[in-house]
Amino acid sequence: MTKKKDSIEKEMSFLDHLEELRWHLIRSTIAVVVVATVAFFAKEFIFDVLILGPKNPDFPTYKLLCKAATQLGFEESFCFKEESFRIQSRTPAGQFSAHIWTSITAGFIVAFPYVLYEFWKFISPGLRNNERRNSRGFIIIASLLFFIGVCFGYYVVTPLTINFLGSYKVSDAVFNDFDLSSYIALVRTSVIASGIIFELPIIIYFLTKVGLVTPQWLKKYRKFALVGVLVLSAIITPPDIASQVIVAVPVLILYEISIIISKVVVHNQNKRMKTHVK
């Protein structure tokens, strides 16, 4: 009888957790939808300024890179002087579909801190008081890293990729006409992927906390991480050394920061274990 009662209590507790998670997801979704609605009505700014900005020769990144490249003798590689491709929509609902999904993407990016807050509210009751205290700045730091990554993807990865792909030709007889959905997918992938990559220190922090990662493991596979980062940068950037270095260096710095964070987590855990033993 007692075992049956305990089983029912555990089942109810699990169902309560599911119900709580459901409401966190609902509130997060509402936040994303609200911001997406605002973005939907700000169509001119979202598309003309943000989405189509990297194809404009006056985009800030091109001006900065062209100025730096001119001084170093790489003017042809980085100076984007004219629009070398066009963007078109070849399906009846192409532009409307792009408008909807772009608005949702903008809603997720802008509402990311609140989504993170709801996630934190769900997991924080399961943490100890000292863990909650030590993780007090989690939302601010994680949001800051995400937005830095988004800016990096938008101002560095996206223009470098677009500049290369837009000007690349197999023959002068072939003109680059990019489909609207493919162009937006390129921008979206570059921005969101960079935002997630910049969360690496936060991810390593939690993986170290649960014992899946150690500083020794991160150091041991540092060389493999270096090769992986270089391969990744070679895939998402033009095939020149300068562009690959521009993308690879921040990621490698994040990896080194992650090693330091992992060391701090392990040191604090060992310190607490010694205190508990005494």
Side-chain angles (χ1 to χ4, degrees), residues 65-75 78 242:
L65 289 177
C66 184
K67 184 177 179 180
T70 302
Q71 297 177 351
L72 297 173
F74 299 109
E75 183 176 352
F78 289 94

Side-chain angles (χ1 to χ4, degrees), residues 76-77 80 82 84-85 160-170 176 178:
E76 293 184 359
S77 300
F80 190 20
E82 61 180 8
S84 55
F85 63 92
L160 288 176
T161 306
I162 288 176
N163 189 13
F164 169 69
L165 295 177
S167 59
Y168 187 84
K169 289 185 178 182
V170 294
N176 284 328
F178 293 164

Side-chain angles (χ1 to χ4, degrees), residues 105-133:
T105 302
F108 172 76
I109 291 174
V110 176
F112 181 78
Y114 182 78
V115 173
L116 208 59
Y117 170 72
E118 289 293 340
F119 170 75
W120 178 249
K121 282 182 66 178
F122 177 70
I123 67 170
S124 60
L127 301 176
R128 299 187 182 92
N129 291 331
N130 61 330
E131 289 177 334
R132 279 199 294 268
R133 212 165 34 243

